[in-house]
Amino acid sequence: MSVAFTPWPADVAERYRAKGYWTGDPLTDVIDRHRGAAAEATAILCGERRFRYADVQRLSARLAAAFRARGLRPGDTALVRLPNRAEFHLVFFALLRCGVVPVNALNSHGLYELTAYARQIEPKLAVLAAGGAADPLAARMAQTVGPERLLLLGPPAEDAVGGFAWADGDPLAEDDGEPGHAADPSGVAFFQLSGGSTGTPKLIPRTHDDYLYSVRRSAEICGLDGSCRFLCALPAPHNFTLSSPGALGVFHAGGAVVMAGDPGPATCFPLIARHRVTWAALVPPMLSVWLEAVGGGEDLSSLEVVQVGGAKLSPAVAERVPERLGCRLQQVFGMAEGLVNYTRLDDDPWTVVNTQGRPMSPGDEIRILDASGHPVPPGAVGELWTRGPYTFRGYYKADAHNARVFDAEGFYCSGDLVSLAPGGNLVVCGRNKDQINRGGEKIDAQEVEDLLAAHPAVSHAAVVAMPDAVMGERSCAFVLAPPATKPSELRRFLRGQGLADFKLPDRFVFVPDLPKTAVGKIDKQTLRERVKTEFAFMETTAT
Ligand code: OOB
């Protein structure tokens, strides 16, 4: 059994194999390739715990055995929501070993998002950090998969597997000694999460072949080797933190991943000093926080490269990195759907500061098109379309949406507005999708609008981006509701539905009417303009 997905056309797949992009190895190869003496090297540092490659192999095999003993089979799916701890990686590799295909939800996702994912994948297994007995998430997941298939992670234990327990109270099965499922490398390894713009969180099937290539190529571009110490401070499942080159790229290179519970300087600066961290990946608002915080006597001298991605970095902030942090900057413009662009480590300073880099693979194909589908002249702004050896060919179970965002040649419309700079580098200029990029965290406007509209006082809601000096963007909800309606009530209502906190509108504006386009749709462009003139760069105290 395997998970259904839209494959690349056979001739294209053949070409990717012939070019050596796809090697036919499973994604677990990033761990298992380290054998003998190399397996003694440190793979993960998490609090006071150190995991060698041999430990990650042994512990993930042990967890895989526990999954098999509970009846999980290749092609089954799993819903995972874990914090930034070593166990995230152990569970990920365990699932890959037994061919169980996970959705790795963000730790900030709530019951709403998890339920939406569960509806799509119908998981046979759920893995969560243990809440209290009354944790509604655990209760719902126990209903969905059964308590005997709900694995709860408790506080860190000496033996990492000892931190896990089945919700029915049974201990984990012993290792069965099975080598594990020989995954079909051309099949789906796991689902990445889409930022979304259509109201339903979309899932992105990623195959072993395509993802492993993106990891290998990223590690190569970044020149990683066994001396790399990578700070995993953004959410571990995010495509940036996981694969650009991320934890998987570092594992591939034989380096060490230092887990940080959050990306703030109070957590990260001591970890950098203690573990001599060489690489860190940040979103732009967090880079600004680091730049402000540095200078308090902390030792950041080990830092070689700080990567920044997920949202547009302003050149003024970019310029300050070498002097303030004493390291190089790399801009990363990527997407969970595939394509990742990097500025290269030997690029000239102008390129590193002013562009978001260029595609990582010679197999990446990009087109910058105007609204009628024609290529724009060099330097002009257009919509970015792409296809390539690690860019997916269709969202999971979303035929109607796929028909809109793919063209007949398999190019995917990213919804980003870009221009081409010298050297083939891209500059991100805006977006043509109904999304808010809140400091790298993507908010699907329609998702929040639909939930707001379910409130009895609300007849319509329109959520748009509001420029913000710190976050780049925050979210503003225009709501057609009686003036007596309170923002706090609407926030409580959204929270009550289990929506992730970062998606709660930062500002509510109550209006008697919403502007309409000629065809009668809500005119979001007018609302965006209104937000820009009325609230731009105001201190955003939530109202
Ligand atoms: C990364 O992935 P996602 O899936 O959370 O978000 C993708 C979208 C892009 O389409 C673009 O709109 C925006 O995030 N974005 C950027 C950017 N990096 C991503 N916009 C401007 N400048 C950048 N540097 O965010 C992601 C995945 C892999 C690596 C890095 C980021």
Side-chain angles (χ1 to χ4, degrees):
M1 271 284 292
S2 58
V3 165
F5 74 111
T6 316
W8 286 258
D11 57 325
V12 176
E14 210 30 66
R15 193 168 75 238
Y16 291 159
R17 284 191 192 98
K19 292 258 182 207
Y21 304 148
W22 294 359
T23 57
D25 295 308
L27 202 44
T28 42
D29 189 61
V30 298
I31 291 293
D32 294 344
R33 69 198 298 260
H34 305 289
R35 304 233 150 252
E40 296 303 309
T42 300
I44 309 178
L45 292 157
C46 182
E48 298 306 312
R49 299 175 302 160
R50 182 176 90 95
F51 300 85
R52 302 163 306 149
Y53 280 88
D55 298 323
V56 178
Q57 286 161 10
R58 179 176 52 83
L59 293 167
S60 58
R62 168 84 200 284
L63 278 172
F67 295 152
R68 276 192 295 269
R70 287 270 145 138
L72 288 151
R73 296 290 172 257
D76 287 342
T77 57
L79 191 52
V80 178
R81 195 196 74 169
L82 290 173
N84 273 23
R85 278 171 50 180
E87 285 86 348
F88 168 82
H89 295 293
L90 299 179
V91 168
F92 185 53
F93 291 121
L95 293 170
L96 293 175
R97 282 191 203 293
C98 46
V100 175
V101 176
V103 166
N104 297 316
L106 303 180
N107 205 37
S108 54
H109 281 150
L111 186 57
Y112 174 80
E113 286 85 8
L114 266 65
T115 309
Y117 294 135
R119 211 177 300 125
Q120 294 181 61
I121 63 165
E122 301 177 28
K124 295 268 171 55
L125 169 79
V127 187
L128 298 175
D135 180 355
L137 198 59
R140 174 68 70 87
M141 288 305 134
Q143 270 174 15
T144 306
V145 296
E148 71 290 350
R149 295 273 186 83
L150 172 60
L151 188 67
L152 295 172
L153 173 63
E158 187 81 359
D159 160 16
V161 169
F164 287 106
W166 292 110
D168 65 5
D170 275 7
L172 266 59
E174 287 306 318
D175 201 342
D176 57 10
E178 257 192 58
H181 165 64
D184 171 7
S186 61
V188 181
F190 75 109
F191 292 103
Q192 255 305 357
L193 309 175
S194 147
S197 58
T198 59
T200 324
K202 298 269 185 301
L203 293 169
I204 303 161
R206 301 294 305 253
T207 66
H208 291 266
D209 268 336
D210 93 72
Y211 212 67
L212 183 55
Y213 172 57
S214 79
V215 164
R216 277 198 337 265
R217 180 67 185 141
S218 296
E220 186 182 2
I221 283 194
C222 296
L224 300 189
D225 61 24
S227 69
C228 176
R229 293 208 152 193
F230 172 73
L231 190 70
C232 181
L234 297 176
H238 192 267
N239 207 44
F240 186 16
T241 339
L242 191 62
S243 69
S244 309
L248 299 189
V250 175
F251 291 145
H252 176 80
V257 173
V258 178
M259 303 303 292
D262 69 83
T267 301
C268 291
F269 287 3
L271 285 173
I272 294 172
R274 175 175 175 195
H275 298 300
R276 307 293 300 155
V277 165
T278 59
W279 274 75
L282 296 174
V283 287
M286 199 42 76
L287 172 67
S288 296
V289 174
W290 279 35
L291 291 171
E292 287 306 314
V294 77
E298 62 289 310
D299 177 8
L300 305 185
S301 60
S302 55
L303 271 182
E304 293 167 10
V305 176
V306 166
Q307 302 179 286
V308 181
K312 179 76 184 261
L313 175 63
S314 92
V317 176
E319 251 164 10
R320 296 168 60 204
V321 168
E323 184 236 308
R324 296 285 292 167
L325 293 177
C327 67
R328 276 179 292 178
L329 168 70
Q330 180 182 55
Q331 294 214 38
V332 188
F333 161 40
M335 53 201 73
E337 284 81 357
L339 180 73
V340 182
N341 303 276
Y342 295 97
T343 57
R344 306 302 201 258
L345 296 177
D346 56 359
D347 275 347
D348 60 90
W350 184 91
T351 300
V352 174
V353 164
N354 293 288
T355 83
Q356 280 64 59
R358 51 196 179 277
M360 68 161 132
S361 165
D364 286 320
E365 297 171 76
I366 61 170
R367 288 178 178 167
I368 305 176
L369 304 180
D370 66 18
S372 43
H374 298 112
V376 300
V381 176
E383 214 167 1
L384 175 66
W385 294 71
T386 184
R387 68 178 181 188
Y390 61 98
T391 295
F392 81 140
R393 292 291 181 131
Y395 292 103
Y396 187 57
K397 293 187 179 168
D399 291 347
H401 183 61
N402 288 335
R404 281 193 292 275
V405 294
F406 286 89
D407 72 7
E409 296 172 81
F411 277 82
Y412 161 68
C413 178
S414 72
D416 291 309
L417 297 175
V418 302
S419 67
L420 196 61
N425 293 291
L426 298 174
V427 176
V428 180
C429 307
R431 143 175 21 104
N432 204 3
K433 50 187 167 185
D434 203 5
Q435 196 179 72
I436 294 101
N437 189 336
R438 192 178 186 275
E441 290 185 306
K442 315 304 181 314
I443 301 169
D444 177 341
Q446 198 187 324
E447 185 175 270
V448 183
E449 289 161 5
D450 290 350
L451 288 178
L452 277 171
H455 188 281
V458 175
S459 22
H460 261 304
V463 178
V464 295
M466 171 167 70
D468 181 85
V470 178
M471 301 295 283
E473 295 173 10
R474 288 182 195 255
S475 64
C476 177
F478 286 88
V479 182
L480 203 60
T485 318
K486 295 251 178 317
S488 56
E489 158 59 20
L490 293 184
R491 271 199 198 96
R492 197 166 33 246
F493 178 73
L494 292 176
R495 263 204 198 102
Q497 298 186 67
L499 189 69
D501 260 17
F502 71 86
K503 297 182 185 172
L504 302 180
D506 292 291
R507 178 179 289 271
F508 285 93
V509 179
F510 294 98
V511 288
D513 219 347
L514 287 166
K516 301 269 170 41
T517 63
V519 291
K521 290 208 307 190
I522 290 175
D523 182 359
K524 288 202 153 179
Q525 204 41 45
T526 300
L527 293 174
R528 286 186 197 108
E529 293 307 321
R530 183 173 158 194
V531 152
K532 260 191 214 151
T533 47
E534 289 181 28
F535 307 126
F537 302 104
M538 273 175 50
E539 278 309 308
T540 23
T541 41
T543 55

